Amino acid sequence: MMIKALRPLLRRSTYTGALFAYAAALASLPLLSFALLPALVWRSAPEGVLFVMVLVVWAALIVLVGLARTTRRVLILAARRLLRVVLPAPSAARPPGTSPEAGQRWRTPLWLLLHVTVGWTGALASGLLLFLALALPGGWLRAELALSLFGRSARVTGGWQSWALALGCLLLAAVVCVLVTRALRWSAPRLLGPSTAERLALAAERERQLAERNRLAHELHDSIGHTLTTTTIQAAVAGELVSTDPAAARAALRSIEESARAALEDLDYVLGVLREREAETAGTGAVEASGTAEAAAAAPIRTLADLPELLERVRHTGAVVEWERSGDPTRVRGTLSRAAYRIVQEGLTNAVRHGSGGPITVRVAAGPEALELDVVNETGAVPRTGRTRAFPTSGHGLPGLAERVRLLHGEIDAGPDGPRRWRLAVRLPARWSA
């Protein structure tokens, strides 16, 4: 029990927190010089009135300093570093587009006023105790201490009593540091932490970041997963044909090169967006943010117009791909076209990975009201036991597709289509002019 009570006295953070409080007291001295000006002008006033007036003006100047947004940023940074309290980063303390509530803008000035008050109180108390701890032992500096309690008095002039009392003063000075640090740690989250509106804005920002990360994860899964699947099969085909059909082997190797290059472009895009988000979160300079924005702007944008190239890469794996289309898919623009490309890509990846090697049918029907996508592949015969075959999945592709379709307010149906086929059907609402 005794060791637990002494732990705060031995922690480094206790004294860094106390120094933080004493630094605020020291920093308020220039404001005190300005607060003394009214007292110098009105010298005829009673001393008590002058004292109160100086304190009021001093407190008002401290409050004005606390209203500055820069003050809040500095205090949050210092509290996180010296008090070891959990506070949002200053750049995220008030997200863009939010304004302080009527009663919330005064929290920082109030905390600064409390900070200075606690700092002065702790500095005077611990300073006096440290002076006594140095002056009392052995009667140094001819120091004497008279104590009076309940009608009894005692005078300490030297000897072992002075050493014991000096040790007690030193311990009390450390206790004052503990109390000062705890007072600041208790008040910092309540007065420097985010308000209710700021918490909601921060939660919305975190939700946006998570949605963006999920979107990037889907992009990586669709692009890199498709590339790894097709290149693996193409490499096997090239290995089998290198001696019997060198031209076909070279064609497969060229397809591998094209697929890998496309995957690298997608990977560079995702990494560029991640660097941009990291720069925004860390609050780095506009130059770095603009550089990452340019990298993101140069990202490859794959749409339904790129479907022929995608189908050709899949055919190089040896798969037979039949493409049926109605309407003009290239007229589908924007997010819908990009999402449709990824959906078809994921459907082809699953067909190549889990199909039985039979033909793959891709159907794209672009109409004025909806965009319909179908990917059908063969899966093999049903076992003689008569039980339904378990169609394997990658574990991430179909849930990712379902989430993508849900965000576009569409419909998805993935599952067996008869005894020997698997069908992925997606219907997305579309609005575009004729």
Side-chain angles (χ1 to χ4, degrees):
M1 190 69 178
M2 181 65 67
I3 296 177
K4 185 177 181 180
L6 292 176
R7 282 179 183 174
L9 302 178
L10 304 177
R11 290 174 183 163
R12 178 183 175 185
S13 58
T14 296
Y15 302 101
T16 56
L19 288 177
F20 180 41
Y22 303 157
L26 184 63
S28 67
L29 284 178
L31 298 179
L32 178 60
S33 62
F34 289 100
L36 291 173
L37 293 178
L40 296 177
V41 174
W42 191 20
R43 295 183 179 180
S44 59
E47 292 184 358
V49 174
L50 291 176
F51 179 75
V52 173
M53 182 174 59
V54 169
L55 287 181
V56 170
V57 176
W58 194 14
L61 292 175
I62 294 173
V63 167
L64 288 177
V65 172
L67 287 174
R69 185 175 296 184
T70 304
T71 303
R72 177 179 173 85
R73 292 172 58 88
V74 172
L75 290 175
I76 290 176
L77 284 173
R80 294 173 64 189
R81 182 72 178 269
L82 300 176
L83 295 178
R84 296 288 190 263
V85 292
V86 179
L87 293 172
S91 59
R94 185 182 298 169
T98 62
S99 58
E101 302 167 13
Q104 300 294 334
R105 62 176 304 184
W106 296 102
R107 295 190 308 145
T108 303
L110 180 60
W111 194 86
L112 185 59
L113 189 61
L114 176 65
H115 190 182
V116 172
T117 303
V118 171
W120 273 107
T121 304
L124 293 175
S126 59
L128 177 61
L129 291 170
L130 287 176
F131 174 78
L132 293 176
L134 293 174
L136 284 175
W140 294 347
L141 303 179
R142 298 180 180 179
E144 296 182 0
L145 182 65
L147 300 176
S148 180
L149 185 64
F150 300 116
R152 296 185 179 182
S153 60
R155 183 177 296 274
V156 179
T157 58
W160 67 269
Q161 295 94 341
S162 63
W163 286 93
L165 191 58
L167 183 60
C169 290
L170 190 62
L171 184 62
L172 286 176
V175 172
V176 169
C177 293
V178 172
L179 296 177
V180 166
T181 302
R182 285 188 174 180
L184 294 183
R185 284 178 178 167
W186 178 85
S187 60
R190 291 164 175 80
L191 296 178
L192 290 182
S195 64
T196 302
E198 290 169 343
R199 290 180 187 275
L200 291 176
L202 288 171
E205 177 64 17
R206 284 195 294 268
E207 183 177 358
R208 186 193 67 81
Q209 292 177 355
L210 287 176
E212 178 68 10
R213 290 176 182 176
N214 287 336
R215 185 186 70 82
L216 294 177
H218 291 329
E219 293 287 336
L220 274 181
H221 175 273
D222 296 344
S223 176
I224 306 302
H226 171 79
T227 301
L228 290 177
T229 300
T230 55
T231 53
T232 300
I233 298 176
Q234 288 168 351
V237 171
E240 293 178 357
L241 298 177
V242 67
S243 58
T244 59
D245 192 348
R250 284 193 296 269
L253 292 175
R254 282 195 301 269
S255 180
I256 291 175
E257 180 184 2
E258 294 171 0
S259 300
R261 185 180 295 111
L264 284 176
E265 291 177 356
D266 291 337
L267 183 59
D268 287 341
Y269 160 62
V270 172
L271 293 179
V273 173
L274 289 177
R275 284 193 296 267
E276 181 182 4
R277 297 294 180 267
E278 186 68 23
E280 292 175 356
T281 304
T284 54
V287 175
E288 183 179 352
S290 63
T292 53
E294 291 175 0
I301 300 177
R302 308 193 187 282
T303 64
L304 289 176
D306 300 306
L307 269 185
E309 178 185 352
L310 174 64
L311 299 178
E312 192 62 28
R313 287 203 303 267
V314 175
R315 290 190 181 103
H316 285 162
T317 65
V320 177
V321 182
E322 300 174 356
W323 186 19
E324 301 175 4
R325 54 182 172 174
S326 60
D328 187 1
T330 60
R331 294 174 58 192
V332 182
R333 304 294 183 184
T335 303
L336 183 61
S337 182
R338 294 193 294 270
Y341 176 89
R342 293 303 186 189
I343 290 171
V344 174
Q345 184 183 52
E346 177 63 22
L348 288 172
T349 302
N350 289 336
V352 172
R353 182 182 300 169
H354 306 299
S356 62
I360 303 172
T361 303
V362 177
R363 187 177 71 87
V364 179
E369 299 296 331
L371 174 65
E372 297 181 358
L373 308 170
D374 283 358
V375 180
V376 181
N377 63 277
E378 292 188 1
T379 56
V382 178
R384 293 182 179 180
T385 57
R387 298 179 181 180
T388 302
R389 178 180 175 180
F391 291 89
T393 63
S394 63
H396 300 284
L398 289 180
L401 283 182
E403 177 66 15
R404 192 190 295 272
V405 172
R406 184 187 66 81
L407 293 176
L408 293 173
H409 306 286
E411 302 173 358
I412 182 172
D413 181 21
D417 183 31
R420 302 182 58 183
R421 296 197 308 174
W422 175 275
R423 179 171 179 261
L424 170 67
V426 174
R427 188 178 190 277
L428 303 174
R431 292 288 189 276
W432 44 277
S433 59

